[in-house]
């Protein structure tokens, strides 16, 4: 029987090194007013490149990738434990070569790109010489790709793209975008769209504005308009009509990584909450002595530990089956649970810090907004709950219970009496003989 919650000592040493490295060298970068994705900024590169080299020297660069692409090919459990450490440090993913959306975009090109696409786009992306954006959602369509209207039409040896995309993360820094567009409007709903590599400097690509999540002074969520944008026919990724399947493959592992980074964020919030509770004094003692505060700390610890174990179990299942479809229910479940756990712990942390907690001298309100982002990004919570329910109920597809089902107490008692009637009769006979 294999049922183990321990990390092997060799990998634990790597995690310990990461904890120290991230807290002492990487976290401070997020306080300097430099954006981690601004790869054209000399000052950013002066600070980031040496740290990236340290990570490479430790063999921890882009560990989600296989050795043929310069990574370790780690499974989701190891990646999950690493991402717990990276969560909460703004520059940590970029220093470790695992920043979204570049990781997912690199995965797409690695699996579906041509040799020419890999040479031109994948290699510099993996080396963080450039960054990319995933241009999928649309203003009128939200995250439901079946409502997208951006079109790509084959015109000679080029595709011509027209439409608008909303919240293309890091579009302002990107060298290229991966765009989902309708190519077969009359095909079945999930076979209408294709994916394309579109260099940002292609004529007709217009970043209308860069939107910020509330509280950010500078936005990088790009609102992009495509007007007669022509890209060569060989910039199609995978097969025509295959965008939906490609995007689902891209998002599966990413949701586990988001969840474990959320675990890391929540761990920091719980730590801050606990430190404040034992340090803040009232006339009768520390606020940690009050039962109401103890309840908040206890709830946060319990919810965090439950969530972490659920995420790691899901990661373990992915490693076991090597098939995201078999783990679809649990991936959807952790995605649905993530924003609630994050929100509740952030809210308690703010509350225990009082007026300081809501101020811009603390990062806690940013975490609260972050929890709301997690309830929207990669599909809204409601969509994932529907997926969980549908996947769960498939096991009951053949059930057709009568009005009074066989699990009623009346039915169960009747079956019990029938099963043990000979025993009851024997017992009665023995009792009568005595």
């Amino acid at each position: 029987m294999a049922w183990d919650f321990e990390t092997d000592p060799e990998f634990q040493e790597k995690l310990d090194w990461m904890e120290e490295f991230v807290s002492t060298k990487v976290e401070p970068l997020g306080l300097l007013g430099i954006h981690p994705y601004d790869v054209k900024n000399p000052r950013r590169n002066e600070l980031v490149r040496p740290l990236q080299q340290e990570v490479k020297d430790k063999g921890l660069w882009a560990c989600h990738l296989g050795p043929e692409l310069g990574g370790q090919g780690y499974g989701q459990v190891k990646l999950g434990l690493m991402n717990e450490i990276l969560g909460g440090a703004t520059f940590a993913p970029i220093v470790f070569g695992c920043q979204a959306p570049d990781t997912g975009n690199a995965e797409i090109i690695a699996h579906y790109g041509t040799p020419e696409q890999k040479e031109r786009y994948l290699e510099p992306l993996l080396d963080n010489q450039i960054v990319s954006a995933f241009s999928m959602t649309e203003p009128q369509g939200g995250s439901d790709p079946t409502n997208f209207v951006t079109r790509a039409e084959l015109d000679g040896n080029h595709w011509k793209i027209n439409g608008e995309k909303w919240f293309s993360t890091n579009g302002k820094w990107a060298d290229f975008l991966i765009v989902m567009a309708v190519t077969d409007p009359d095909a079945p709903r999930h076979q209408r769209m294709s994916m394309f590599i579109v260099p940002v400097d292609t004529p007709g690509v217009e970043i209308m504005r860069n939107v910020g999540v509330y509280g950010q002074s500078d936005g990088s969520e790009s609102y992009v308009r495509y007007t007669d944008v022509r890209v060569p026919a060989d910039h199609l990724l995978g097969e025509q009509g295959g965008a939906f399947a490609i995007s689902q493959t891209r998002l599966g592992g990413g949701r586990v990584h988001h969840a474990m980074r959320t675990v890391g964020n929540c761990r920091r919030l719980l730590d801050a909450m606990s430190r404040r509770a034992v340090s803040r004094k009232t006339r009768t003692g520390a606020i940690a002595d009050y039962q109401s505060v103890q309840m908040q700390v206890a709830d946060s610890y319990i919810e965090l530990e439950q969530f972490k174990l659920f995420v790691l179990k899901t990661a373990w299942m992915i490693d076991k089956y090597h098939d995201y479809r078999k783990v679809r229910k649990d991936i959807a479940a952790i995605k649905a649970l993530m924003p609630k756990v994050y929100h509740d712990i952030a809210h308690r942390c703010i509350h225990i810090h009082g007026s300081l907690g809501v101020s811009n001298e603390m990062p806690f309100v940013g975490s609260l907004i972050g929890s709301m982002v997690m309830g929207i990004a990669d599909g809204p919570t409601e969509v994932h709950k529907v997926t969980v329910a549908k996947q769960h109920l498939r096991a009951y597809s053949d059930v057709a219970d009568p009005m009074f089902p066989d699990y009623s107490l009346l039915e169960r008692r009747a079956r019990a009496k029938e099963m043990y009637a000979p025993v009851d009769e024997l017992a009665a006979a023995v009792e009568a003989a005595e």
Side-chain angles (χ1 to χ4, degrees), residues 25-188:
K25 293 187 177 182
V26 181
E27 275 193 59
L29 293 179
L31 305 173
L32 301 179
I34 301 171
H35 200 285
Y37 289 83
D38 187 6
V39 293
K40 305 297 193 298
N41 184 333
R43 178 58 176 159
R44 177 264 189 201
N45 293 333
E46 178 186 352
L47 296 171
V48 169
R49 298 296 184 206
L51 298 181
Q52 290 176 328
Q53 188 58 52
E54 285 192 58
V55 171
K56 292 176 181 178
D57 292 342
K58 282 286 183 178
L60 293 172
W61 175 258
C63 287
H64 60 290
L65 298 172
E68 73 281 2
L69 295 175
Q72 297 293 328
Y74 283 162
Q76 292 297 329
V77 171
K78 284 187 173 182
L79 293 173
L81 294 171
M82 292 175 67
N83 275 291
E84 180 183 3
I85 297 170
L86 303 182
T90 308
F91 273 78
I94 211 120
V95 167
F96 281 79
C98 59
Q99 69 282 357
D102 294 335
T103 48
N105 291 345
E107 185 176 357
I108 288 175
I109 300 173
H111 282 87
Y112 300 98
T114 64
E116 293 76 15
Q117 290 170 348
K118 292 177 182 179
E119 180 179 358
R120 180 175 175 183
Y121 299 107
L122 180 59
E123 292 178 12
L125 186 64
L126 293 178
D127 200 36
N128 193 222
Q129 297 299 321
I130 61 174
V131 294
S132 61
F134 191 55
S135 202
M136 174 181 173
T137 57
E138 296 185 3
Q140 85 295 330
S143 60
D144 182 0
T146 63
N147 288 329
F148 291 173
V149 297
T150 296
R151 288 289 304 274
E153 299 172 300
L154 194 57
D155 182 17
N157 60 352
H158 283 72
W159 288 95
K160 185 171 66 174
I161 302 173
N162 283 281
E164 293 182 355
K165 294 291 184 177
W166 171 250
F167 257 57
S168 296
T169 302
N170 295 325
K172 67 184 293 184
W173 312 113
D175 272 46
F176 71 90
L177 309 105
I178 291 183
V179 181
M180 284 183 64
V182 176
T183 51
D184 303 278
D186 298 323

Side-chain angles (χ1 to χ4, degrees), residues 408-420:
S408 71
L409 291 175
L410 290 174
E411 292 285 342
R412 291 169 62 191
R413 286 194 188 106
R415 289 197 300 272
K417 289 180 178 180
E418 182 179 351
M419 179 183 298
Y420 291 106

